Amino acid sequence: MGQLNTGYYQTVVEIPKQLGDIKKIKREDSLFIAGGTLLQLNWEAGINRPSHLISMEMVKELHGIQKVSIDRKEFLEIGAATTLADCCEHKSIVEHAPILADACKKIAAPAVRNRGTIGGNIAGKVGDSIPVLFVLEAKLCVYDGEKETIISIQEWLKTTIQQNPVLIITKILIPIKNKEKENYFFQKVGRRESFTAAVISIAGFLKIADKKVTAARFAIGGGAHLPQRLIGAEEILVDTSGDLFAFYKAVETSFSTYSDAFVTEKYRKKVAANILFAKCREIIEKSE
Ligand SMILES: Cc1cc2nc3c(=O)[nH]c(=O)nc-3n(C[C@H](O)[C@H](O)[C@H](O)COP(=O)(O)OP(=O)(O)OC[C@H]3O[C@@H](n4cnc5c(N)ncnc54)[C@H](O)[C@@H]3O)c2cc1C
């Protein structure tokens, strides 16, 4: 286990090599760090640097991308320390979860993607990958200092450091469903074309059988949104077998958003409803 004293800021960085070491070195003032790209933003915004950082970079259980079988179901398992750059290009992610690769390509610029990790993106709770993981029905493996368990993304979003000071995301589990890959979509809307924070990030999936919408999942995040599923709008689309006008209204009602100095709440709702309407119409028409 390495230790680095960063001197000027009086921050000690510990670099454990395995999960089991973390509980031993964890202090009350510790903070986990992976690529440090989101934390760097926080520190630049004036949030105090902690005096003790525990780096996730060398923890062996947080690395690797492979297919695994759990309860006879196949999953793509992605180590939380996988960089966003690797998520854009890794053969298995491109093959089994192409919308995740697509979403990661739209996060920040190459230098940030080379350092930033998928685990840090999820752990920060506002990352653009989260809406995609919602619609892929991904799960998270988390380590609580004693054991690893599997939880949903929704459960992760509800966790607080106070509840469990040692909760670490170790792996992301994505169910492998090779059918209907083309029925997934991701779109990030920013105030300019590239290298920009999202106004909204939208992910979606439609299942169509006998010309009817039989399942739908939509999620929105980006900006300062806590990522959310649009359950009400999903139900309307399925219950009405694809009535896109009823769906449009339901998106505007179910999407909980905000105004800031640049974009109003009303505008965000309209953009979300327009994108979802257009993407769903495209998928429905293609199936006919
Ligand atoms: C210029 C710039 C542009 C950016 N643009 C975008 C963007 O467009 N979209 C976007 O989504 N993000 C963006 N980000 C934010 C950030 O780069 C990403 O969210 C990145 O994925 C964070 O990963 P990281 O490894 O650097 O996390 P860190 O900064 O190391 O950590 C982030 C948080 O997660 C915690 N953490 C890290 N790993 C784990 C783990 N395994 N288990 C539990 N907790 C953990 C840390 O304690 C911290 O609270 C941007 C950042 C910068 C600097």
Side-chain angles (χ1 to χ4, degrees), residues 31-42 44 56 62 80-81 84 106-109 112-113 115-124 126-129 156 161 167-170 188 195-198:
L31 186 67
F32 299 123
I33 182 166
T37 60
L38 184 59
L39 287 174
Q40 183 70 36
L41 282 183
N42 294 344
E44 281 165 12
M56 300 286 103
L62 271 60
L84 296 169
K106 291 173 182 147
I107 293 175
V112 173
R113 295 198 291 269
R115 284 291 312 154
T117 63
I118 182 81
N121 194 264
I122 301 165
V126 290
D128 285 330
S129 71
W156 171 264
I161 292 178
L167 206 58
I168 294 169
I169 301 174
T170 57
K188 177 172 170 175
F195 301 163
T196 181

Side-chain angles (χ1 to χ4, degrees), residues 10 24-25 38 111 151 180 200 203 216 232 240 245 265 287:
Q10 301 295 307
K24 292 180 229 152
I25 57 175
L38 184 59
I151 64 168
E180 298 150 345
I200 49 171
T240 61
F245 292 96
E265 177 185 0
S287 74

Side-chain angles (χ1 to χ4, degrees), residues 2-24:
Q3 197 181 82
L4 182 74
N5 191 324
T6 59
Y8 178 71
Y9 291 109
Q10 301 295 307
T11 299
V12 172
V13 185
E14 303 240 29
I15 311 170
K17 296 219 165 77
Q18 52 196 18
L19 276 181
D21 295 336
I22 291 175
K23 206 177 166 194
K24 292 180 229 152

